[in-house]
Amino acid sequence: MSLQCGIVGLPNVGKSTLFNCLSNAKAQSANFPFCTIEPNVGVITVPDERLIKLGEICKPERGVIPTTVEIVDIAGLVKGASKGEGLGNKFLANIRETDAIIHVLRCFDDENVVHVDGTVDPVRDKEIIDAELQLKDLETVESRIQKCEKAAKAGGDKFAKLQLEVLVKYREALSQGKNARTVELENKDQEAAARDLFLLTNKPVMYVCNVDEASAVTGNAYVEKVKEAVKDEDAQVLVLAAKIESEIAELETYEERQMFLEEIGLQESGVNRLIKAAYALLNLRTFLTAGSDEVRAWTFKAGAKAPQCAGVIHTDFERGFIRAEVIKYTDFIALGGEAQCRAAGKLATEGKDYLVQDGDIMHFLFNV
């Protein structure tokens, strides 16, 4: 399942440094705007402590295989990007292709790192990016309104009429400087019409406050201003210090990384927290397979049923789905394996309508 989060922000806020920590793909990191010309795509392993415990029980021959999510490092936007300033149009197109947005905000002072607008103000920076995305969305909405009006009048197209209702709502919000995601739609039909529009400001967003080392645990005044500014957006705010994360990434062993984290007062690295948050932002969940051959995590969209999850492993599994055997992770760990769960009656047989839950350990039976 190839779903992407795009990292956006003004130049020199720490996007590429953060991306380098997340991915083995090394984005160029330099103290000037536009150093990232092409969007860098990294396939990121999703940390999951459950896999370690399952591996200890199953001792799989092929090992433990985590699931992944794609992160795209998109070059810095600037004021006027919606009109083509900087490398704006290309970057906005890159954002359109992603499923969710990680918006990095500079929340640290450093006279050696140039700010594109001269001073550090993360709320202003957020508003600049928002405005550019809103302007591009407004351009899209205006264009679609004209087409829908013609289709609705000429052929009585019901979907065009429905989409026109949604577009008018979006135009009103965007004209007031609000993001499309703030618009409340009335029913599922309107929600379906909205999905077809692929608006930039309708994507789920997470704000990452890039702070200095001293603020990595507690945050700072800049972070508090960001939290206040986004309190009505239903968006997550995550605090991390990209400079510290780059130092952690250079440590070779898990033990060294944990010691480093403990020394600075953190239980988990910011990168791990970010990956998990990005995974949740995409509305993704994980089911597991566990046996003597391998222990593996698989990604599915929240709300998927058993046959759809079977198809994540192989399309034949979904096509010929018969049933699924399901063990809850907590039972598997508590009892010590599949055989013990079977003996204790903790293995459930589920049909095609079963809604798969995060952490379910599954075995699919199929026939093609």
Side-chain angles (χ1 to χ4, degrees):
M1 181 177 291
S2 180
L3 291 170
Q4 293 183 339
C5 279
I7 301 180
V8 305
L10 292 178
N12 288 357
V13 297
K15 300 184 313 303
S16 294
T17 301
L18 182 58
F19 179 83
N20 288 343
C21 299
L22 287 165
S23 173
N24 289 328
K26 292 297 180 184
Q28 182 186 5
S29 182
N31 185 21
F32 56 88
F34 313 127
C35 63
T36 308
I37 305 302
E38 295 297 330
N40 292 274
V41 180
V43 180
I44 312 301
T45 296
V46 178
D48 194 333
E49 294 78 7
R50 295 173 298 194
L51 291 173
I52 298 171
K53 293 183 179 179
L54 289 174
E56 290 171 352
I57 290 173
C58 297
K59 297 179 174 56
E61 290 181 12
R62 292 203 297 269
V64 174
I65 304 171
T67 191
T68 60
V69 65
E70 289 187 3
I71 304 288
V72 185
D73 178 27
I74 297 167
L77 289 166
V78 293
K79 190 179 293 186
S82 60
K83 303 300 181 186
E85 290 295 322
L87 299 173
N89 283 332
K90 188 171 185 180
F91 299 159
L92 289 167
N94 294 145
I95 297 169
R96 197 178 298 281
E97 293 169 6
T98 65
D99 301 284
I101 294 173
I102 298 170
H103 189 158
V104 182
L105 297 167
R106 176 172 169 176
C107 294
F108 65 90
D109 293 307
D110 187 340
E111 61 184 19
N112 295 316
V113 180
V114 178
H115 190 288
V116 71
D117 281 330
T119 58
V120 177
D121 185 342
V123 175
R124 177 204 58 207
D125 295 353
K126 170 199 172 307
E127 290 171 351
I128 289 172
I129 297 291
D130 279 353
E132 296 308 320
L133 300 185
Q134 288 162 9
L135 286 168
K136 201 65 181 177
D137 277 349
L138 189 57
E139 184 183 301
T140 300
V141 166
E142 295 283 9
S143 175
R144 292 294 287 267
I145 283 176
Q146 292 178 12
K147 292 178 182 177
C148 285
E149 283 177 336
K150 288 179 181 178
K153 288 177 182 177
D157 188 326
K158 289 184 178 179
F159 185 76
K161 288 181 179 179
L162 178 66
Q163 196 164 70
L164 184 58
E165 293 174 7
V166 174
L167 285 164
V168 170
K169 285 176 178 283
Y170 282 141
R171 180 172 63 183
E172 183 179 354
L174 292 164
S175 298
Q176 295 173 5
K178 297 178 182 177
N179 291 320
R181 72 179 71 88
T182 64
V183 173
E184 292 186 12
L185 301 177
E186 296 169 15
N187 51 52
K188 289 186 177 180
D189 289 336
Q190 285 193 351
E191 289 173 5
R195 278 195 294 273
D196 190 47
L197 299 173
F198 302 106
L199 297 179
L200 300 172
T201 64
N202 212 17
K203 297 178 186 292
V205 64
M206 172 172 55
Y207 296 101
V208 175
C209 295
N210 182 17
V211 300
D212 56 90
E213 184 174 344
S215 307
V217 177
T218 60
N220 57 30
Y222 291 132
V223 173
E224 294 309 310
K225 288 179 181 178
V226 171
K227 288 180 178 178
E228 178 64 23
V230 306
K231 65 182 181 182
D232 297 326
E233 290 192 30
D234 191 30
Q236 185 175 351
V237 177
L238 189 144
V239 178
L240 59 75
K243 189 174 181 181
I244 289 178
E245 298 300 323
S246 64
E247 293 174 11
I248 293 171
E250 291 176 3
L251 298 174
E252 294 185 3
T253 68
Y254 173 81
E255 289 75 17
E256 286 178 314
R257 291 192 289 271
Q258 286 305 115
M259 284 178 62
F260 186 95
L261 288 168
E262 288 174 10
E263 285 176 9
I264 60 176
L266 291 173
Q267 293 183 329
E268 186 177 25
S269 74
V271 162
N272 275 14
R273 288 185 287 116
L274 175 57
I275 296 169
K276 290 177 181 178
Y279 194 71
L281 188 67
L282 290 167
N283 204 23
L284 301 179
R285 303 290 184 270
T286 302
F287 73 87
L288 307 159
T289 52
S292 58
D293 53 346
E294 70 176 24
V295 167
R296 185 163 182 168
W298 304 86
T299 296
F300 69 97
K301 273 277 192 182
K305 294 183 178 180
Q308 294 170 286
C309 287
V312 172
I313 297 177
H314 198 288
T315 52
D316 284 351
F317 285 24
E318 181 174 8
R319 188 159 54 92
F321 179 87
I322 299 172
R323 63 182 182 276
E325 294 179 340
V326 184
I327 301 173
K328 295 302 177 185
Y329 169 79
T330 51
D331 291 333
F332 196 101
I333 297 301
L335 295 173
E338 181 181 329
Q340 293 88 330
C341 288
R342 283 183 184 273
K346 294 295 185 179
L347 184 148
T349 299
E350 303 288 356
K352 63 182 181 180
D353 291 327
Y354 176 69
L355 283 171
V356 178
Q357 303 299 306
D358 184 69
D360 278 353
I361 297 171
M362 308 194 71
H363 175 67
F364 298 104
L365 289 83
F366 68 102
N367 183 29
V368 291

